[in-house]
């Protein structure tokens, strides 16, 4: 099987998730320099020009491959789709929707196109449009999530398509990375475990909340309303889910979340901010450089696959 780093030209078979408002050009460059594929998250940007500036900044800081994540629910998605062509971005990932209408344009521009899916049916459809690989993201992830777990989703996507599949959701150490390979993935995408990286530009209060979190400290808001988002439990997210269960209307609930991710990331408001995080938040114990996080993942993964090779079942 061809591994992800062979497809991307990176040192490691690891993609850094393109986290909205967090994955700046500088952070993506730090991840690319440390051996992963760094991604700039378009999700929190306000204009095409803002995205263009981050792409140019990333290029200044790294000569390694990098990419852009386009959040398809974003009102500027069409504009972002054009900017990545103009800027000759090597890799584009997409999230929170079906990128079908852009695929031909991106392929003509020579871009590697890797959509995120939360179910096999969209993966099968996108394979026909000519995408290069698929990221299968389980509901363990932080942020916008689907219903299926990584354990159930990844092998079903692997069986549904004939292109490489990358596992995402619930991966923060070498054991989980090795498990992703066991499920048939060619690599992994990680997000939550990079939030405590020294280079990650989130507010120190957000990092402190992650370091304090235990395994069951995340909650999904908006499951009923149709935009499920996994965040750390706090006053805002608990109250959101309480009102949602009590039948509050969608517009009322919108008021709660408006700007809440930015409040968490920039202001460090851990009470009413939306601290997006995956279920692996409980595994984070220290702030470290990105390079240390990636190196430990790789070392742990190698140890795990070796141990499994000696397992006589
Ligand atoms: O996109 C993500 N994670 C995100 S985006 C984001 S920004 C945001 N902010 C506030 C509210 C909502 C979002 C934060 N986290 N991950 C990729 C992902 N894509 N997860 C699930 C999906 C997905 C879901 C349905 C992909 C495709 C899909 O298809 C539906 C269809 O149209 O067929």
């Amino acid at each position: 099987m061809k591994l992800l780093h062979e497809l991307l030209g990176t040192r490691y078979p690891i993609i850094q998730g393109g986290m909205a408002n967090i994955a700046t050009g500088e952070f993506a460059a730090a991840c690319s320099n440390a051996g992963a594929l760094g991604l700039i998250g378009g999700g929190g940007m306000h204009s095409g020009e803002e995205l263009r500036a981050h792409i140019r900044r990333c290029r200044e800081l790294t000569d390694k491959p990098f990419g852009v994540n386009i959040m398809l629910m974003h009102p500027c998605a069409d504009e972002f789709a054009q900017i990545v062509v103009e800027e000759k971005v090597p890799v584009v990932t997409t999230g929170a929707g079906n990128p079908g209408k852009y695929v031909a344009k991106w392929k003509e521009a020579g871009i590697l196109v890797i959509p995120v899916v939360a179910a096999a049916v969209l993966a099968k459809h996108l394979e026909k449009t000519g995408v290069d690989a698929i990221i299968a993201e389980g509901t363990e992830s932080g942020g916008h999530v689907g219903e299926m777990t990584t354990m159930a989703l990844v092998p079903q996507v692997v069986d549904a398509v004939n292109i490489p599949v990358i596992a995402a959701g619930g991966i923060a150490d070498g054991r989980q990375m090795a498990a992703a390979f066991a499920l048939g993935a060619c690599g992994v995408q990680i997000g939550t475990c990079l939030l405590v990286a020294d280079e990650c530009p989130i507010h120190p209060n957000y990092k402190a909340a992650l370091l304090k979190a235990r395994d069951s400290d995340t909650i999904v808001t908006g499951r009923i309303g149709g935009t499920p988002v996994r965040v750390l439990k706090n006053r805002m997210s608990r109250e959101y889910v309480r009102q949602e269960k009590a039948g509050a209307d969608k517009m009322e609930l919108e008021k709660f979340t408006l700007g809440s991710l930015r409040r968490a990331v920039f202001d460090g408001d851990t009470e009413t901010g939306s601290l997006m995080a995956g279920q692996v938040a409980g595994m984070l114990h220290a702030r470290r450089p990105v390079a240390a996080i990636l190196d430990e993942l790789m070392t742990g993964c190698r140890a795990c696959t070796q141990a499994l090779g000696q397992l006589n079942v």
Side-chain angles (χ1 to χ4, degrees):
M1 180 176 60
K2 198 166 163 178
L3 289 175
L4 181 59
H5 50 283
E6 300 172 76
L7 179 70
L8 300 174
T10 52
R11 183 162 167 218
Y12 298 143
I14 301 175
I15 299 177
Q16 161 242 317
M19 300 169 284
N21 284 311
I22 297 171
T24 58
E26 290 194 9
F27 184 59
C31 292
S32 287
N33 285 331
L37 181 82
L39 290 183
I40 298 163
M45 301 198 183
H46 297 100
S47 69
E49 290 317 307
E50 189 180 350
L51 176 60
R52 197 193 302 278
H54 280 273
I55 294 168
R56 293 189 175 173
R57 181 78 182 126
C58 185
R59 274 222 162 88
E60 277 171 18
L61 298 172
T62 188
D63 55 1
K64 305 281 190 300
F66 71 96
V68 168
N69 172 261
I70 299 183
M71 211 279 266
L72 296 165
M73 280 163 44
H74 195 293
C76 301
D78 285 347
E79 196 187 348
F80 293 166
Q82 181 57 32
I83 300 279
V84 294
V85 172
E86 289 170 16
E87 293 296 317
K88 301 188 167 49
V89 170
V91 184
V92 169
T93 69
T94 62
N98 178 348
K101 66 174 177 173
Y102 305 121
V103 175
K105 176 163 86 171
W106 288 338
K107 287 314 303 168
E108 268 168 45
I111 295 173
L112 268 177
V113 180
I114 315 183
V116 174
V117 305
V121 57
L122 183 57
K124 234 176 146 55
H125 167 77
L126 289 169
E127 180 182 28
K128 289 191 212 119
T129 70
V131 303
D132 298 278
I134 291 285
I135 300 169
E137 189 185 279
T139 194
E140 296 94 321
S141 298
H144 183 74
V145 291
E147 289 282 345
M148 294 187 65
T149 61
T150 301
M151 180 78 109
L153 176 66
V154 172
Q156 294 191 68
V157 174
V158 168
D159 289 347
V161 299
N162 288 306
I163 50 178
V165 175
I166 297 132
I171 300 166
D173 79 6
R175 294 168 299 178
Q176 291 157 326
M177 187 170 172
F181 288 119
L183 297 175
C186 69
V188 296
Q189 176 173 279
I190 55 173
T192 302
C193 67
L194 292 171
L195 289 174
V196 293
D198 293 331
E199 297 90 335
C200 183
I202 61 173
H203 194 283
N205 295 353
Y206 191 163
K207 288 189 188 178
L210 288 160
L211 292 171
K212 229 176 70 188
R214 286 167 305 181
D215 56 356
S216 56
D217 281 344
T218 70
I219 188 171
V220 176
T221 61
R223 273 256 195 249
I224 298 171
T227 315
V229 176
R230 185 178 300 282
V231 294
L232 290 184
K233 287 178 181 169
N234 64 5
R235 186 152 63 80
M236 199 271 301
S237 55
R238 283 199 178 93
E239 181 62 14
Y240 187 109
V241 170
R242 197 187 65 74
Q243 294 214 14
E244 201 178 15
K245 284 182 180 156
D249 86 34
K250 232 179 140 175
M251 296 302 274
E252 276 300 309
L253 289 170
E254 276 288 286
K255 283 191 212 143
F256 263 109
T257 48
L258 235 48
S260 61
L261 176 59
R262 298 184 70 84
R263 271 205 304 283
V265 172
F266 301 116
D267 308 338
D269 180 346
T270 55
E271 282 291 303
T272 74
S274 168
L275 292 98
M276 294 188 186
Q279 290 181 332
V280 293
M283 297 173 73
L284 310 177
H285 305 300
R287 293 183 180 81
R288 288 179 302 163
V290 170
I293 295 171
L294 298 183
D295 291 349
E296 193 176 290
L297 261 165
M298 292 305 300
T299 307
C301 180
R302 289 186 191 112
C304 193
T305 51
Q306 212 163 40
L308 286 171
Q310 286 154 21
L311 190 70
N312 246 326
V313 285

